[in-house]
Structures are given as structure tokens and as C-alpha cells.
């Protein structure tokens, strides 16, 4: 039972890391930028929506991983990176909602 649960955790971690990489690729493709001049034709609201959504997804995936920027064994500061990540994720979600609400579909 212990080996199975360990393998399940490892598979989940690898899946989250893969999703983090794929999300950046999907974000880039959704912006539809092939040359630098293409940026001029994108609306700011669309960029805010797509980028805010990416930030929120990346933060969610980061919080699922046991790997931290600052190890949790360091008192007080160890938990701060998780709290900051959640704060950044909330800001990303707010930016995405604002960008979506301003889009004129």
C-alpha cells in the first residue's frame, strides 16, 4: 500500500509539472503572436484575461507540488512563499475576471 501511494504521489507531481509547462505553451499560442507587430493588434483586455488566467492556473499547480522556493522547515519564512503564491494567484484571478468583463465579445 505504501509503495502504491508513493507512486501515485509521484505521478501527480509529474502531471502537475507537465501541466505547468503546457499551460505556458497554450498561453503563448492563445496570444497568437508570430511576429512582433502582432502585439499591436491584441486588445489589452484580452492580454489581461489570458495572462491573469495563466497566473491563477500556475499558482494553483505550484501549490499542489511539495517542492517550494523556500523550504517549509525554515520557521515562519518557510510558509510565507505558499502564502505569497496564493496572494499572487488571487491577483491573477482578479485580473482575469476584470479582463474578461471588459472584453467586448
Amino acid at each position: 500500500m505504501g509503495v502504491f501511494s508513493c507512486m501515485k504521489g509521484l505521478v501527480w507531481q509529474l502531471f502537475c509539472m507537465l501541466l505547468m509547462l503546457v499551460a505556458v505553451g497554450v498561453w503563448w499560442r492563445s496570444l497568437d503572436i508570430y511576429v512582433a507587430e502582432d502585439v499591436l493588434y491584441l486588445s489589452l483586455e484580452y492580454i489581461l484575461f489570458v495572462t491573469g488566467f495563466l497566473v491563477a492556473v500556475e499558482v494553483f499547480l505550484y501549490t499542489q507540488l511539495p517542492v517550494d522556493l523556500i523550504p517549509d522547515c525554515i520557521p515562519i519564512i518557510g510558509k510565507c512563499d505558499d502564502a505569497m503564491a496564493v496572494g499572487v494567484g488571487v491577483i491573477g484571478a482578479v485580473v482575469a475576471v476584470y479582463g474578461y468583463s471588459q472584453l467586448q465579445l
Side-chain angles (χ1 to χ4, degrees):
M1 183 69 174
V3 174
F4 178 72
S5 64
C6 180
M7 288 301 293
K8 188 171 112 176
L10 179 64
V11 169
W12 175 249
Q13 291 175 28
L14 291 174
F15 179 71
C16 285
M17 286 189 238
L18 178 66
L19 277 180
M20 289 175 86
L21 292 173
V22 168
V24 173
V26 169
W27 169 76
W28 184 255
R29 292 290 297 151
S30 71
L31 290 177
D32 205 27
I33 298 173
Y34 298 104
V35 293
E37 291 82 23
D38 289 344
V39 176
L40 300 174
Y41 300 108
L42 291 175
S43 69
L44 178 62
E45 294 81 12
Y46 182 73
I47 293 173
L48 286 174
F49 168 63
V50 174
T51 305
F53 188 75
L54 172 75
V55 169
V57 167
E58 290 288 336
V59 167
F60 173 75
L61 292 172
Y62 173 76
T63 58
Q64 298 300 308
L65 295 174
V67 179
D68 287 335
L69 293 175
I70 302 171
D72 288 341
C73 61
I74 299 173
I76 300 171
I77 299 173
K79 298 291 181 182
C80 286
D81 67 332
D82 295 330
M84 287 186 298
V86 169
V88 169
V90 168
I91 291 171
V94 168
V95 167
V97 167
Y98 174 75
Y100 183 76
S101 70
Q102 298 300 314
L103 274 176
Q104 296 166 352
L105 301 175

